[in-house]
Amino acid sequence: STMVKAGVFLMVKLSPLYAIYPVTGFMVTSVGAITFLLAALMAISQSNAKRVLAYSTISNLGLISACLGVGAPEAVRAAIFLILFHTVAKSLLFLCVGTAEHHIGSRNIEDMDGMFSRMPRLTRLMMLGIMGQVACRAFGRGFYGQKRGGQCP
């Protein structure tokens, strides 16, 4: 995971080149968008919780790559925000799934039914991690809204 993030960080450092060379930016955006869609489809077809998280990580990295390929400063800032929120939220989710697996004895999502009654604190932490993934869009909109006089992109 760290090495993958290092590759995405290198793409962040190279992002000014994508604006100069539009063909390269188009290729990066296209590959990122295709990766985002295919990995998301693979994630929703899994029943193993850690595989769902792994494929959704690949999907999120595709979204980050698609943002970087655009080359606009706002898109690069959005990609950096996605990297930060993804890192915090996914690390929390992987820890929670590992703990749930230890207590339940299975990684299967169907076996995690009724988890709120069995492990309420762990379930709240999982919900916090999920909200961290969803809320990154809200925080990004607030950041851009302040910069443009209250208008969100």
Side-chain angles (χ1 to χ4, degrees):
S1 174
T2 304
M3 294 305 294
V4 173
K5 287 282 193 314
V8 173
F9 179 73
L10 179 63
M11 289 177 65
V12 170
K13 296 299 261 181
L14 294 174
S15 64
L17 294 176
Y18 304 144
I20 296 171
Y21 302 107
V23 173
T24 307
F26 177 75
M27 287 174 42
V28 170
T29 302
S30 299
V31 170
I34 291 168
T35 302
F36 170 68
L37 291 173
L38 291 179
L41 290 174
M42 291 177 75
I44 62 173
S45 68
Q46 300 296 316
S47 62
N48 183 324
K50 285 196 176 182
R51 284 189 183 175
V52 170
L53 292 176
Y55 282 121
S56 66
T57 295
I58 295 168
S59 178
N60 206 340
L61 293 175
L63 179 62
I64 292 167
S65 299
C67 287
L68 291 172
V70 172
E74 291 86 5
V76 174
R77 274 188 244 135
I80 292 170
F81 271 116
L82 283 170
I83 291 170
L84 292 174
F85 281 107
H86 177 263
T87 301
V88 173
K90 277 299 170 72
S91 61
L92 177 63
L93 287 172
F94 268 109
L95 286 171
C96 287
V97 167
T99 304
E101 174 192 357
H102 178 71
H103 287 287
I104 295 172
S106 174
R107 289 185 187 171
N108 196 341
I109 292 174
E110 286 84 17
D111 294 340
M112 295 182 186
D113 187 35
M115 206 165 98
F116 194 76
S117 61
R118 291 186 282 178
M119 296 177 274
R121 287 187 354 204
L122 181 66
T123 307
R124 286 187 189 106
L125 283 174
M126 282 181 140
M127 289 181 353
L128 182 67
I130 292 168
M131 287 188 297
Q133 284 285 291
V134 174
C136 73
R137 281 90 177 151
F139 286 127
R141 290 178 66 95
F143 176 79
Y144 292 124
Q146 290 175 357
K147 192 167 185 148
R148 296 186 181 184
Q151 297 175 356
C152 293

